[in-house]
Amino acid sequence: MPRPEIIAHRGTPRVHPENSLPGFARALELGVDGIELDVHLTRDGVPVVHHDPDLGPGAESPVAGRRIVDLTLDELRTHALAPGVPVPTLAEVCALADGRAVLYVEVKARDAEDAVAALLAARGDRTPVHSFDHRVSRGVRDRAPATPVGVLSVSYLVDTIGAMRAADARDLWQHWSMIDAPLVESVHAAGGRVIAWTVNDPAHAVALARMGVDGVCTDLPDQMAAALAPRIS
């Protein structure tokens, strides 16, 4: 049985701040196949890596609680995820992971397609893009044809393949609890891939691997790798 890709969800969030360079560096040290991250856009059009649209609290931050879209990159740099740990740009994470792991880029911001596509177009399949907003996935695909895209879903769709085709998507990012063998088989038959998120129970990871999922996105990449290692063909 082929082992699915181990994809570090926002880096190593149980050890380091999520979506941070230290968290991504630790995931790379663990030898993950991929890293999943989230992208928003600053007021001056820079793709930055952060999950929420606004910043969290910070006693030393003059911009705590502000929306990222309202801040320039320089203003955003005054906010720390932890002492000495700024919000990274997407370009910085690309440089860190280059040649070491695939970066799976979830675009959370509307109107970010141009900036994201411009940054990733030359990187091809090293930086696939996905989104809950399937229009964003399709928009990046139209602007950067060499960039694979995916659609995120927390539901079991009546016409999954139709949704993927509408976005010209290669990957289905499906919540792990809504995956079964017929879904995996239908996506594979259509030439697509299934990535399960967010899987933190080794028993669930093994069951999903037996169904044939192509990737397991997890907060615990070391534990998932250990659970799935015997299943490398």
Side-chain angles (χ1 to χ4, degrees):
M1 182 188 310
R3 177 178 69 78
E5 291 182 22
I6 305 297
I7 302 169
H9 181 235
R10 307 178 199 164
T12 46
R14 304 291 179 94
V15 182
H16 298 281
E18 67 176 32
N19 282 321
S20 69
L21 289 178
F24 297 140
R26 178 55 182 156
L28 293 169
E29 290 172 1
L30 293 172
V32 298
D33 303 295
I35 290 173
E36 187 269 352
L37 53 83
D38 307 287
V39 166
H40 286 277
L41 209 60
T42 63
R43 180 159 59 87
D44 46 348
V46 180
V48 294
V49 180
H50 195 267
H51 181 266
D52 295 334
D54 45 50
L55 299 173
E60 304 297 326
S61 170
V63 294
R66 296 274 303 277
R67 295 196 310 162
I68 291 173
V69 71
D70 293 333
L71 301 172
T72 66
L73 179 61
D74 286 344
E75 291 170 332
L76 183 66
R77 292 295 204 189
T78 66
H79 183 86
L81 302 172
V85 181
V87 174
T89 65
L90 179 56
E92 289 171 339
V93 183
C94 287
L96 176 69
D98 198 25
R100 303 172 67 187
V102 175
L103 286 185
Y104 289 97
V105 178
E106 180 182 347
V107 178
K108 289 189 168 291
R110 281 290 299 152
D111 302 320
E113 296 94 327
D114 285 334
V116 170
L119 178 61
L120 302 183
R123 302 181 60 83
D125 61 5
R126 292 177 292 168
T127 48
V129 169
H130 57 287
S131 182
F132 276 112
D133 188 335
H134 299 181
R135 297 169 298 176
V136 171
S137 299
R138 181 62 194 237
V140 171
R141 180 72 171 157
D142 289 343
R143 292 163 173 80
T147 299
V149 301
V151 292
L152 268 158
S153 177
V154 73
S155 304
Y156 201 113
L157 302 178
V158 172
D159 186 4
T160 297
I161 305 307
M164 294 179 70
R165 286 177 175 157
D168 198 16
R170 180 194 70 180
D171 299 334
L172 171 68
W173 285 74
Q174 183 79 15
H175 190 269
W176 71 268
S177 65
M178 288 287 178
I179 295 176
D180 58 19
L183 176 67
V184 177
E185 291 166 6
S186 66
V187 172
H188 285 174
R193 306 191 321 148
V194 179
I195 299 174
W197 63 276
T198 299
V199 186
N200 292 324
D201 184 323
H204 292 157
V206 171
L208 290 161
R210 287 176 176 156
M211 293 178 203
V213 300
D214 302 276
V216 170
C217 187
T218 177
D219 296 327
L220 302 167
D222 50 346
Q223 293 186 26
M224 294 305 110
L228 296 173
R231 289 161 181 82
I232 301 175
S233 61

